[in-house]
Amino acid sequence: MAARPLRVDARRNRERLLAVAVRVLSQDGPQVPLEAVAREAGVGIGTLYRHFPTREALVDAAYQGELDRLCDCVDDLLVTLAPAAALRTWMDRFFDYLTTKQGMGPALRALVASGGNPFARSRERLTSAVATLLRAGASAGELRADVAPDDVLVALSGICLAAADRQDRDQAGRLLDLFLAALRPPARR
């Protein structure tokens, strides 16, 4: 039996709960009272528990939502931007995603300790997103065709981790620009 789609107000409540959960878990850690999340989202605790019966379910949904937001934007970026510019914009979003993931680290570790696996589909989704951007860039002649998506993810992660301090956002941008330049095909002579 298929689950019924959420009513508009229920979907809006769920989205507010997730947005607040991501921010609060990233800033305040895994022990933040769920009542505080519900209050800040403007709903009652019963509404929170109807959508997320456990703290672990809320943490997992918050993380999965961030992953989906990052990976699902690729097609829209490619419609509105040239492939290299789309990749560069996605790199900035990846930095935000990784920063949020690091902030949620204690909550995610608690989820893993309870038997959950929030990262089961992360690598596959991220690799697919990067592969789509690289293929589009290679087809347009803007990016090299010999770059593996996994290599791009590892390099991006390294750049983002090295400049994860929010005060280093300018440095992260410069490093991402340098990395994008390395992904461009060599100039023809």
Side-chain angles (χ1 to χ4, degrees):
M1 184 171 173
R4 291 186 323 190
L6 291 175
R7 295 183 331 257
V8 172
D9 61 327
R11 188 172 49 249
R12 190 173 36 245
N13 287 342
R14 186 177 196 283
E15 290 168 2
R16 277 198 319 257
L17 283 164
L18 287 173
V20 169
V22 166
R23 190 179 52 67
V24 169
L25 290 168
S26 296
Q27 294 171 355
D28 300 332
Q31 299 310 317
V32 65
L34 294 183
E35 292 81 4
V37 173
R39 186 174 41 257
E40 190 169 329
V43 301
I45 191 66
T47 298
L48 183 145
Y49 280 118
R50 264 192 304 282
H51 290 284
F52 310 105
T54 64
R55 175 181 296 278
E56 292 78 14
L58 177 62
V59 171
D60 189 46
Y63 172 72
Q64 297 306 323
E66 291 301 294
L67 176 67
D68 290 344
R69 189 175 353 277
L70 174 65
C71 294
D72 292 346
C73 76
V74 168
D75 290 336
D76 291 338
L77 289 174
L78 288 170
V79 167
T80 58
L81 299 169
L87 176 58
R88 182 61 182 83
T89 299
W90 191 86
M91 288 177 177
D92 282 329
R93 292 180 182 186
F94 182 84
F95 182 88
D96 294 337
Y97 157 82
L98 205 60
T99 302
T100 298
K101 181 180 165 189
Q102 285 178 315
M104 290 179 67
L108 291 169
R109 284 190 291 280
L111 174 59
V112 169
S114 73
N117 183 1
F119 311 117
R121 63 189 191 109
S122 300
R123 185 66 164 210
E124 178 184 323
R125 294 279 333 266
L126 292 167
T127 301
S128 177
V130 171
T132 299
L133 289 160
L134 291 174
R135 272 193 308 275
S139 292
E142 295 180 11
L143 299 171
R144 295 170 41 178
D146 63 340
V147 178
D150 278 339
D151 293 344
V152 171
L153 280 175
V154 169
L156 281 175
S157 296
I159 290 169
C160 294
L161 291 173
D165 183 355
R166 291 203 180 268
Q167 297 163 349
D168 288 340
R169 185 62 189 245
D170 290 339
Q171 182 182 37
R174 291 189 306 273
L175 292 170
L176 293 173
D177 288 341
L178 285 170
F179 182 47
L180 181 62
L183 295 174
R184 293 192 182 272
R188 293 188 178 148
R189 293 180 182 197

